[in-house]
Amino acid sequence: MSNKQIELEEFSKDYRVVAVDMRGYNLSDKPEEISSYSMPHLMEEVKQLIEAFGEKECVLVAHDWGGAVAWAFAYTYPQYVKKLVMFDAPHPYIFIRELAENPAQREASSYMSFFQQPNSQDELLANNSEKLRNMLTEPGIKKGYLTKEEAKYVEAWNQPNAMKSMLNYYRASSLYPFEERVHKPVALPHKVFQSPTLIVWGNADEAFENSNLDGIEESVPNVTIHRLEGVGHAPQHEQPQKINEFMRDFLSK
C-alpha cells in the first residue's frame, strides 16, 4: 500500500478526498505547448476541479510542484481555500528571496536549468529512467519508506509524452532562468494569506534550504509549522503516520 493510499483511506473517513494527476502527469492530458503549463492555466484547473465537485471551498493539500500551484492559487483565489496544508513547498515570496540572496539555494535549485533544456526528458528516461530513479525512488527504497511497488513511478514517467510534459512545468516557469528572474518580484494579487495553514517541513530536504521558512509569518500569519529532523523532501512518504496526526490535529481546530 502506498503512502498516498494511507492518507486517502485515513481522511476519506470524514472528508471527500480527491487526489488527481496534474496535467502532463501519468494518464492526464498532455498539451503540447509549453505555455499550457503556465501558472494561470494550472490555477484555473484547481478552481474548475473544486467547482466540478459542487464545492465553494476546500482544504488544499500539496507538495513540491503541487505546492507551487497551491501557494499561487491561495494568493489568487483565497476564497476557495478554507485551510492550506503544505509539505516541503517553499512560499513563493520567500523562495524568490532565497534565490536572490542565498547562494546555497541557487545551488540546490540549479538542476532546474537542466530540466528546462529541450531534450532533457531523453536523458532522464535513458536506461529505464536510471537518473530519475537514483534521484527520487532508490533513496526511498534504501531508507525503507518506499517499496518495490513504487516502480509505478517509472511506469508513470514513461507514459507517452509524460516526461516532456512534466518538464514543461519548469520550462513555463517565470522563476527561471535564474539570472533573469532572481531580482524580480512574484506577481500575485495578495501579499498575505489569512486562512489557517499547516506546513510540514523535512529539515534534511536537499532541494530547499531551511531558510525558506524564515519570516514566513509575515505572509502567512495563521501558520502552524512542524519541522521533522532527518526527513527529506517528501515527509508524507517518510513519516505518513505522523503526517496524518499533524493533519488530524490541524483540521480539528
Side-chain angles (χ1 to χ4, degrees):
M1 179 180 292
S2 72
N3 295 321
K4 179 182 284 189
Q5 287 175 309
I6 292 173
E7 292 167 6
L8 290 175
E9 290 191 0
E10 171 64 23
F11 291 100
S12 63
K13 300 172 186 176
D14 306 291
Y15 299 88
R16 175 192 288 181
V17 181
V18 180
V20 298
D21 288 326
M22 297 168 69
R23 69 163 57 189
Y25 283 75
N26 200 21
L27 302 179
S28 289
D29 289 346
K30 301 169 179 63
E32 181 68 24
E33 300 81 7
I34 291 176
S35 61
S36 296
Y37 300 85
S38 63
M39 193 59 73
H41 289 297
L42 302 175
M43 289 191 296
E44 181 62 23
E45 286 194 330
V46 177
K47 179 173 176 285
Q48 290 183 12
L49 182 66
I50 296 169
E51 294 173 346
F53 281 94
E55 302 293 344
K56 296 182 178 179
E57 62 180 8
C58 72
V59 176
L60 192 57
V61 182
H63 168 249
D64 196 70
W65 255 113
V69 177
W71 277 124
F73 184 83
Y75 276 81
T76 304
Y77 302 106
Q79 68 274 21
Y80 281 81
V81 185
K82 183 178 181 179
K83 291 187 175 184
L84 185 63
V85 179
M86 288 289 192
F87 308 134
D88 283 66
H91 190 286
Y93 299 148
I94 297 179
F95 189 48
I96 198 70
R97 179 198 72 194
E98 291 299 298
L99 288 175
E101 301 177 2
N102 188 343
Q105 184 59 65
R106 287 199 296 275
E107 176 62 25
S109 297
S110 61
Y111 69 91
M112 298 182 185
S113 294
F114 163 66
F115 283 4
Q116 284 189 312
Q117 299 305 308
N119 297 313
S120 54
Q121 60 269 9
D122 297 333
E123 184 170 339
L124 291 173
L125 291 176
N127 300 318
N128 191 30
S129 307
E130 180 179 14
K131 179 169 279 191
L132 272 179
R133 286 189 290 107
N134 288 338
M135 289 172 57
L136 301 177
T137 58
E138 291 300 328
I141 291 172
K142 290 178 181 178
K143 292 178 72 172
Y145 65 82
L146 290 182
T147 66
K148 289 297 183 180
E149 285 74 27
E150 299 300 333
K152 292 182 179 178
Y153 278 111
V154 178
E155 181 181 337
W157 298 334
N158 282 275
Q159 292 293 332
N161 293 319
M163 184 54 60
K164 179 180 178 181
S165 299
M166 291 157 60
L167 293 172
N168 280 343
Y169 279 72
Y170 296 91
R171 295 165 182 147
S173 172
S174 61
L175 286 177
Y176 306 99
F178 297 134
E179 59 271 16
E180 296 179 10
R181 286 298 308 178
V182 293
H183 297 294
K184 297 182 180 180
V186 176
L188 291 171
H190 301 280
K191 293 297 182 184
V192 177
F193 179 66
Q194 299 285 0
S195 295
T197 301
L198 171 66
I199 295 176
V200 182
W201 190 270
N203 276 358
D205 191 336
E206 295 183 356
F208 300 121
E209 293 291 300
N210 293 328
S211 53
N212 278 285
L213 295 180
D214 293 348
I216 196 168
E217 293 84 0
E218 295 180 13
S219 299
V220 194
N222 195 357
V223 64
T224 300
I225 300 174
H226 292 286
R227 298 174 182 261
L228 297 177
E229 293 295 332
V231 172
H233 179 59
Q236 73 276 16
H237 276 313
E238 291 198 44
Q239 299 285 340
Q241 301 297 347
K242 187 169 290 187
I243 295 300
N244 287 350
E245 292 174 9
F246 291 154
M247 289 179 62
R248 277 286 177 194
D249 181 63
F250 174 70
L251 295 174
S252 69
K253 294 178 180 178

